[in-house]
Amino acid sequence: MAEGEEDLPRDAKIVKTLLKSMGVENYEPRVVHQFLELWYRYVVDVLTDAQVYSEHASKSTIDSDDVKLAIQSKVNFSFSQPPPREVLLELARVRNKIPLPRSLSGPGMALPPESDTLISPNYQLAISKKRTNEAVEETEEDEEASDSKPNPSQEQRTNLPQNISQRVSFPLGPKRAR
């Protein structure tokens, strides 16, 4: 045996022997401890289940049938076999009978509507069209200087309320060609 192996517990020596028999020559020392932890946890789980089965059968001690049942339930719960190949082929045949839906869009990748994308407008700005009296008077004076008689549409503009709000939306991304 190598140096320090005589100090190892019997279970650690068994794990090292198992590793060597499987052809594993180089491994970290932590591997042995990890295998031992896994081994102990598995044994405790199996024996706990065997004790539950024994108590359910109103037995005072755990016997080999309880341990076998506990191991079998662990194997059935932990490991599952894939379905047979014939079953998978039949499922694939049934699924592949259903044709794929036709693409409604033309060639290329189908994109969701612009309202469902991240680049759609997601905020609005309220722009108030509040004009000061000075600005209104200046524009009226400029218009009177250019035209001697006022246009009826200009008279109507001055009678409009001066505080009008307009909502404007802006997309976050670049405009795409449709």
Side-chain angles (χ1 to χ4, degrees):
M1 287 193 176
E3 292 179 23
E5 274 197 34
E6 53 274 346
D7 297 342
L8 289 176
R10 183 179 62 94
D11 294 340
K13 290 177 184 176
I14 292 172
V15 169
K16 281 189 164 197
T17 306
L18 283 172
L19 287 171
K20 194 175 286 187
S21 71
M22 305 263 318
V24 179
E25 297 292 330
N26 298 325
Y27 53 87
E28 292 185 26
R30 295 185 303 179
V31 171
V32 174
H33 297 292
Q34 289 172 341
F35 271 119
L36 285 174
E37 183 181 339
L38 178 68
W39 184 6
Y40 291 151
R41 189 179 319 143
Y42 180 77
V43 169
V44 167
D45 287 346
V46 167
L47 290 178
T48 304
D49 289 349
Q51 183 178 13
V52 169
Y53 297 144
S54 175
E55 289 172 0
H56 181 73
S58 301
K59 295 189 243 174
S60 59
T61 61
I62 299 173
D63 60 4
S64 64
D65 291 334
D66 297 326
V67 174
K68 287 178 185 177
L69 184 60
I71 291 173
Q72 187 61 41
S73 69
K74 277 273 186 229
V75 168
N76 289 340
F77 179 71
S78 299
F79 307 106
S80 63
Q81 297 293 323
R85 181 178 172 85
E86 294 79 27
V87 172
L88 291 175
L89 288 173
E90 179 63 22
L91 286 172
R93 189 181 60 73
V94 169
R95 175 58 68 184
N96 289 334
K97 275 186 179 179
I98 302 169
L100 293 173
R102 296 223 177 259
S103 175
L104 298 177
S105 63
M109 186 167 52
L111 297 174
E114 206 170 297
S115 61
D116 295 338
T117 62
L118 293 174
I119 60 172
S120 65
N122 65 351
Y123 63 91
Q124 292 182 337
L125 297 177
I127 301 172
S128 63
K129 290 186 176 180
K130 189 174 183 181
R131 292 172 35 175
T132 62
N133 289 335
E134 295 174 0
V136 172
E137 291 173 4
E138 288 176 9
T139 55
E140 286 177 358
E141 290 172 2
D142 293 341
E143 289 171 359
E144 287 177 5
S146 63
D147 281 337
S148 59
K149 59 181 182 177
N151 198 348
S153 63
Q154 289 175 347
E155 289 176 0
Q156 291 173 354
R157 265 192 246 155
T158 57
N159 295 337
L160 290 175
Q162 299 298 321
N163 190 5
I164 299 173
S165 176
Q166 178 183 8
R167 296 203 177 271
V168 180
S169 296
F170 295 97
L172 292 176
K175 180 116 178 152
R176 292 188 298 191
R178 292 185 183 197

